[in-house]
Amino acid sequence: QVDHFGFDENRTFQQRYLVADQHWKKDNGPILFYTGNEGDITWFCNNTGFMWDVAEELNAMLVFAEHRYYGESLPFGNESFSDSKHLNYLTSEQALADFAVLVDYLKTTIAGAHHSPVIAIGGSYGGMLAAWFRMKYPHVVVGALAASAPIWQFGDLVPCGAFFSIVTNDFKKSGTGCSESIQNSWNAINHLSSTDAGLQWLSRTFHLCSPLKNLQDAAVLKNWLSETWVNLAMVNYPYKADFLQPLPAWPIQEVCKFLKDPSLSDKLLLQNVFQAVNLYYNYTGGASCLDVSETATKNLGQTGWYYQACTEMVMPLCTDGVHDMFEPEKWDFDAFSDECYRLWGVRPRPSWILSMYGGKNISSHSNIIFSNGDLDPWSAGGVTQNITNSLLAIVIPDGAHHLDLRSRNPLDPKSVQQARALEICHMKQWIEEARPSH
Amino acid sequence: QVDHFGFDENRTFQQRYLVADQHWKKDNGPILFYTGNEGDITWFCNNTGFMWDVAEELNAMLVFAEHRYYGESLPFGNESFSDSKHLNYLTSEQALADFAVLVDYLKTTIAGAHHSPVIAIGGSYGGMLAAWFRMKYPHVVVGALAASAPIWQFGDLVPCGAFFSIVTNDFKKSGTGCSESIQNSWNAINHLSSTDAGLQWLSRTFHLCSPLKNLQDAAVLKNWLSETWVNLAMVNYPYKADFLQPLPAWPIQEVCKFLKDPSLSDKLLLQNVFQAVNLYYNYTGGASCLDVSETATKNLGQTGWYYQACTEMVMPLCTDGVHDMFEPEKWDFDAFSDECYRLWGVRPRPSWILSMYGGKNISSHSNIIFSNGDLDPWSAGGVTQNITNSLLAIVIPDGAHHLDLRSRNPLDPKSVQQARALEICHMKQWIEEARPSH
């Protein structure tokens, strides 16, 4: 159903979902249901090894449901992003309704699944969806694992600067002079971008695919660098991995090897910064130039996500250059709203998500685990302390963005092994409690 | 917000709500929030004396919120019912979102209300909304009193015939020969309506405002009679009252005084049936003729409700003439759907409400009282047994449709006095539990 919440638009669309049932115990064995987030579901499926690792132990069926407007689940095909009319059905509420209807459908059409307890699992925005799915549809899922889910990165629930100060700490801890070098790089760029020669030098030094032409382009360069540092903080995994980009183990440590001396001259400092970002964008050595319009894998649906950020998912972020290594930038809702209106013809409603999902007042819910890596900037908006004895927080020291959802790895720190063991323990309990005999 | 669940339609509308704060304890005293149903809120406000009766005891503020598309809360003014485009925002989900946003607004704008615990109270469809409000927005309301709320009158959760068999029992218990007389009346009408003279006789005998012209009109007459018996079952109160119509105490007993002999000839039987319905439509003696297009007060929004029944609120009802006194009529979803399409250009989605609100699988929720009078046909789809120790059922012997929500009355049976006492007891407990110190 394109629109679950209205009856004038009665069209339907094909939602993609993946099923793996080789380990499933047919007579009502559990179902682990991945609440798809802002990207291609096959990519998430391949990056959520945890579910594959536990399927056998839990005798579980795995279902990966693609989020509408991402991957191949486009309500209006190529027209889906054409205007605000077609984008109108891209909301978290519609996505959760898709999931609820899909679970009902699977339970009635798969023989032996009618009484299968279903557990929602998701990471990042998908982790929010997993938590919200349990909150809003507790009759559909017996529990939820919400990994790295910043459900409180809204309104004034958490300080807007916490996010970037975690990023900064990750760099601070990963090498002497590292965060200071980045902090100093902004002014270096500002100096150089004030002249044409400087802009040319920057374009050459950063191997940019399109040369910088003016101050606006230089601002784009700085944004792109900021996002790169943020992404590095998210994927600072303890082993070689390919999530947002192919990267070595502990990539921030690798990056920081180029950023030891913050006192260098502008040009020497920025040459080092180039080495650092080049490691992120060109670890495999295949890139002939760097493109400031891209920061991560194309498996993520940037357009759709930006629309969501411009409507429901308004996450205030800010920097002050004191508690973080970034150029100070206040959270400016009005400017953001104007930009959203210019781009999509819609205005964000920042308080709606609080009215809908309860903000910090969620203690009446149950059976949700919120896991957060302490290296992950998104943990700033996450639940990192137990709320009740069935709304649990697991903090994973040395963990980056939903490290616990990734496949077991010999280089996993003990912390994530323990987190996973605890998660499995609670999932077993939810499954046990859902038995009719209980 | 006209559309809470999409951002393309950004218009707002004025929602009417009534506030009474004379008994309210200003420093976070509780708020009793009436979840308005399908009608004018002032009328519901005047027919929910229970809230007025307990306001002082609980030091509570009363808020009566009007449901969108009813009374004066019309999203598009006079255009609101013009077509399926304008009706698109008439759903229970939008109404609940209105309530959530309204509570948030009241709590932030009324001094001293910021931490006021809010209890949802509603009857009938409004009772469903009260229960669903607690289920979906437990961060907004600490509990709900759902009076005569047939939340299970959907899908195949209860037998479709139970409703009419309760109506029949009410008549059976209220006088010898009563239900049999009604049962026999259908064939009597069928016989008479097969000739023009018979149709004329029926029109005259029933004092109809527009004479019957054909078999179709006779079918309308029978429907109108059926609805009259149903309405009498709903308002079979122990004292003189004016809810759907001004009526004497125990109106079914009064009606049955005319219907003692089911073995009379067609014409004599139907003359008695006229006396019976005339008591319902003309108790005050002011009606010069009876209008088969109306069965109840104009304070109810029939158009809006019929649209809701044709979209989300699909309640299967049926009769078999064996367990009830009505002409047998199967539940025919396809015919119903076609009629909805003809009238509104929309098709009902009968399973959506089950996916959305959980059907019978609601045990993970808390703090909801479901009260039902055992005379009330809507109790057939209600919760009449405790589900958990905080999802409670109260059955009220000798109670009609949400009798407990009405003002105290000297003629109240003990059962409803006890029910109200229990309801107040639980409300106090919810309020107590919501204190920050708890």
Side-chain angles (χ1 to χ4, degrees):
Chain A
Q1 210 72 49
V2 166
D3 188 6
H4 293 283
F5 301 101
F7 290 76
D8 188 46
E9 169 59 75
N10 204 27
R11 277 176 284 184
T12 57
F13 71 102
Q14 298 228 304
Q15 182 179 21
R16 181 163 59 156
Y17 61 93
L18 315 174
V19 176
D21 63 359
Q22 59 266 42
H23 293 301
W24 186 53
K25 202 177 89 228
K26 271 218 156 62
D27 50 336
N28 299 318
I31 297 173
L32 303 184
F33 186 91
Y34 184 87
T35 48
N37 35 323
E38 72 281 22
D40 186 295
I41 195 63
T42 59
W43 179 67
F44 289 120
C45 178
N46 290 331
N47 276 283
T48 311
F50 174 70
M51 285 171 63
W52 296 89
D53 288 342
V54 299
E56 188 169 3
E57 185 174 351
L58 298 179
N59 297 311
M61 187 194 305
L62 304 183
V63 176
F64 294 86
E66 192 160 68
H67 190 297
R68 53 169 58 203
Y69 287 87
Y70 296 99
E72 296 184 359
S73 300
L74 303 176
F76 305 106
N78 292 335
E79 302 273 278
S80 299
F81 297 94
S82 57
D83 56 30
S84 68
K85 226 163 198 49
H86 290 86
L87 278 160
N88 190 46
Y89 310 99
L90 173 50
T91 65
S92 63
E93 291 86 354
Q94 298 276 10
L96 293 178
D98 288 340
F99 295 155
V101 168
L102 175 57
V103 171
D104 285 350
Y105 170 77
L106 295 174
K107 283 183 148 193
T108 50
T109 54
I110 298 178
H114 193 64
H115 295 288
S116 288
V118 181
I119 292 174
I121 298 182
S124 201
Y125 167 51
M128 300 200 243
L129 292 173
W132 293 337
F133 197 21
R134 169 66 187 166
M135 293 182 194
K136 294 292 183 183
Y137 297 86
H139 52 286
V140 178
V141 288
V142 301
L145 170 56
S148 299
I151 62 163
W152 290 343
Q153 193 67 52
F154 298 101
D156 57 1
L157 298 180
V158 297
C160 60
F163 179 94
F164 286 101
S165 102
I166 294 176
V167 178
T168 301
N169 276 332
D170 291 350
F171 283 82
K172 220 170 236 167
K173 286 190 292 191
S174 300
T176 318
C178 194
S179 68
E180 295 86 348
S181 294
I182 293 170
Q183 180 139 35
N184 291 346
S185 72
W186 312 116
N187 266 336
I189 294 172
N190 292 344
H191 294 153
L192 282 157
S193 55
S194 63
T195 67
D196 282 347
L199 286 166
Q200 283 167 27
W201 184 90
L202 284 168
S203 308
R204 238 178 12 247
T205 302
F206 280 92
H207 294 229
L208 301 185
C209 301
S210 331
L212 310 176
K213 296 206 184 81
N214 49 40
L215 277 176
Q216 231 173 335
D217 290 351
V220 171
L221 172 71
K222 288 190 288 181
N223 271 332
W224 174 75
L225 288 171
S226 291
E227 279 188 48
T228 307
W229 309 134
V230 166
N231 285 350
L232 274 162
M234 286 169 61
V235 298
N236 195 23
Y237 296 128
Y239 45 79
K240 203 173 150 167
D242 178 3
F243 184 53
L244 301 179
Q245 296 279 358
L247 288 172
W250 297 117
I252 297 188
Q253 282 182 20
E254 296 304 314
V255 157
C256 284
K257 287 179 183 163
F258 300 108
L259 301 169
K260 290 178 174 166
D261 188 354
S263 63
L264 292 173
S265 69
D266 289 350
K267 288 194 173 176
L268 289 174
L269 184 72
L270 290 175
Q271 279 169 344
N272 288 343
V273 168
F274 164 72
Q275 295 295 333
V277 296
N278 193 49
L279 185 136
Y280 178 77
Y281 289 107
N282 200 14
Y283 182 57
T284 53
S288 58
C289 62
L290 301 189
D291 179 353
V292 294
S293 72
E294 275 179 27
T295 55
T297 168
K298 285 187 178 143
N299 289 304
L300 283 169
Q302 285 192 342
T303 314
W305 182 250
Y306 203 46
Y307 173 83
Q308 289 193 261
C310 269
T311 47
E312 279 190 313
M313 311 297 289
V314 185
M315 299 184 166
L317 294 174
C318 63
T319 50
D320 63 8
V322 178
H323 302 90
D324 56 64
M325 63 188 186
F326 297 90
E327 281 194 300
E329 191 167 350
K330 287 210 168 66
W331 167 245
D332 184 345
F333 174 74
D334 293 335
F336 179 69
S337 176
D338 288 345
E339 178 68 3
C340 290
Y341 192 76
R342 194 182 66 77
L343 282 170
W344 310 102
V346 296
R347 296 263 177 206
R349 296 178 198 150
S351 68
W352 165 241
I353 209 105
L354 303 171
S355 294
M356 183 65 191
Y357 298 115
K360 291 209 167 177
N361 188 1
I362 57 175
S363 61
S364 68
H365 300 289
S366 64
N367 293 6
I368 306 176
I369 297 173
F370 297 95
S371 66
N372 281 285
D374 73 347
L375 302 179
D376 181 14
W378 291 111
S379 69
V383 179
T384 52
Q385 296 197 312
N386 290 351
I387 296 174
T388 68
N389 62 8
S390 82
L391 286 186
L392 301 167
I394 297 179
V395 174
I396 305 168
D398 305 318
H401 202 45
H402 49 61
L403 173 62
D404 49 336
L405 292 192
R406 301 183 59 80
S407 293
R408 269 193 295 266
N409 189 295
L411 295 173
D412 274 330
K414 198 140 208 118
S415 61
V416 76
Q417 295 173 17
Q418 287 170 342
R420 289 189 189 123
L422 201 53
E423 288 161 5
I424 294 168
C425 174
H426 285 288
M427 290 197 278
K428 283 181 176 170
Q429 198 183 316
W430 300 336
I431 293 165
E432 187 57 38
E433 285 168 5
R435 281 172 194 267
S437 58
H438 188 87
Chain B
Q1 210 72 49
V2 166
D3 187 6
H4 293 284
F5 300 101
F7 290 75
D8 188 45
E9 170 59 75
N10 205 28
R11 276 176 284 184
T12 57
F13 71 102
Q14 297 228 304
Q15 182 180 22
R16 182 164 58 155
Y17 61 94
L18 315 173
V19 176
D21 63 358
Q22 59 267 42
H23 293 301
W24 186 53
K25 202 177 90 227
K26 272 220 156 63
D27 50 336
N28 299 319
I31 297 173
L32 303 184
F33 186 92
Y34 184 87
T35 48
N37 34 323
E38 72 281 21
D40 187 294
I41 194 63
T42 60
W43 179 66
F44 289 119
C45 178
N46 289 331
N47 276 283
T48 311
F50 173 69
M51 284 171 63
W52 297 89
D53 288 342
V54 299
E56 189 170 0
E57 184 174 351
L58 298 179
N59 298 311
M61 186 193 306
L62 304 183
V63 176
F64 295 85
E66 191 160 69
H67 190 297
R68 53 168 59 202
Y69 287 86
Y70 296 100
E72 297 184 359
S73 300
L74 303 177
F76 305 106
N78 292 336
E79 301 273 279
S80 298
F81 297 93
S82 57
D83 56 30
S84 69
K85 222 160 202 52
H86 290 85
L87 279 159
N88 191 45
Y89 309 99
L90 172 49
T91 65
S92 63
E93 292 86 354
Q94 299 276 8
L96 293 177
D98 288 341
F99 296 155
V101 169
L102 175 57
V103 171
D104 285 350
Y105 171 77
L106 295 173
K107 284 183 146 192
T108 50
T109 55
I110 298 178
H114 193 64
H115 296 290
S116 287
V118 182
I119 292 174
I121 298 182
S124 200
Y125 167 51
M128 299 200 242
L129 292 173
W132 293 338
F133 197 21
R134 170 65 187 167
M135 293 182 195
K136 294 292 185 184
Y137 298 86
H139 53 285
V140 178
V141 289
V142 301
L145 170 56
S148 298
I151 62 163
W152 289 344
Q153 193 67 51
F154 298 102
D156 56 1
L157 298 180
V158 297
C160 60
F163 179 94
F164 286 101
S165 104
I166 293 176
V167 178
T168 301
N169 276 331
D170 291 350
F171 283 81
K172 221 170 235 166
K173 286 189 292 189
S174 299
T176 317
C178 193
S179 68
E180 295 86 347
S181 296
I182 293 170
Q183 180 139 36
N184 291 347
S185 71
W186 312 116
N187 265 336
I189 295 173
N190 291 344
H191 292 153
L192 282 157
S193 56
S194 63
T195 67
D196 283 348
L199 286 166
Q200 283 168 28
W201 184 89
L202 285 168
S203 307
R204 238 179 10 249
T205 303
F206 279 93
H207 295 226
L208 300 185
C209 301
S210 330
L212 309 175
K213 296 205 183 82
N214 48 40
L215 277 175
Q216 231 173 335
D217 289 351
V220 171
L221 171 71
K222 289 190 288 182
N223 270 332
W224 174 75
L225 288 170
S226 290
E227 278 187 50
T228 307
W229 309 134
V230 166
N231 285 350
L232 275 161
M234 285 168 61
V235 298
N236 195 23
Y237 296 127
Y239 45 79
K240 204 174 147 166
D242 178 3
F243 184 54
L244 301 179
Q245 296 278 359
L247 288 171
W250 297 117
I252 296 188
Q253 282 181 20
E254 297 303 313
V255 157
C256 284
K257 287 178 183 163
F258 301 107
L259 301 170
K260 290 179 174 166
D261 187 355
S263 64
L264 292 173
S265 69
D266 289 350
K267 287 193 173 177
L268 289 173
L269 183 73
L270 291 174
Q271 278 167 345
N272 288 342
V273 168
F274 164 71
Q275 296 294 334
V277 296
N278 193 50
L279 185 137
Y280 178 77
Y281 288 107
N282 200 13
Y283 182 58
T284 52
S288 58
C289 62
L290 301 189
D291 179 353
V292 294
S293 72
E294 274 179 27
T295 55
T297 168
K298 285 184 178 149
N299 289 304
L300 284 168
Q302 286 193 342
T303 314
W305 183 250
Y306 203 48
Y307 173 84
Q308 288 194 262
C310 269
T311 47
E312 279 190 313
M313 310 296 289
V314 185
M315 299 183 167
L317 294 173
C318 63
T319 50
D320 63 9
V322 178
H323 302 90
D324 56 65
M325 62 188 187
F326 296 90
E327 281 194 301
E329 191 169 348
K330 287 209 167 68
W331 167 246
D332 183 345
F333 174 74
D334 293 335
F336 179 71
S337 176
D338 289 345
E339 178 68 1
C340 290
Y341 192 74
R342 194 182 65 77
L343 281 171
W344 310 102
V346 297
R347 296 264 177 207
R349 296 179 199 150
S351 68
W352 166 242
I353 209 105
L354 302 171
S355 295
M356 183 66 191
Y357 298 116
K360 292 209 166 179
N361 187 2
I362 57 175
S363 61
S364 68
H365 300 288
S366 63
N367 292 7
I368 305 176
I369 298 173
F370 296 95
S371 66
N372 281 285
D374 73 347
L375 303 180
D376 181 14
W378 291 111
S379 69
V383 179
T384 53
Q385 297 198 312
N386 290 351
I387 297 174
T388 67
N389 61 8
S390 82
L391 287 186
L392 301 166
I394 297 180
V395 174
I396 306 168
D398 304 319
H401 202 45
H402 49 63
L403 174 62
D404 48 336
L405 292 193
R406 300 182 60 80
S407 293
R408 269 193 295 265
N409 189 294
L411 296 172
D412 275 330
K414 199 141 208 116
S415 61
V416 76
Q417 295 171 16
Q418 287 170 343
R420 290 189 189 122
L422 201 53
E423 288 162 5
I424 294 167
C425 174
H426 284 289
M427 290 196 280
K428 284 181 177 170
Q429 198 183 315
W430 300 336
I431 293 164
E432 187 57 37
E433 285 168 5
R435 280 173 195 267
S437 57
H438 188 86

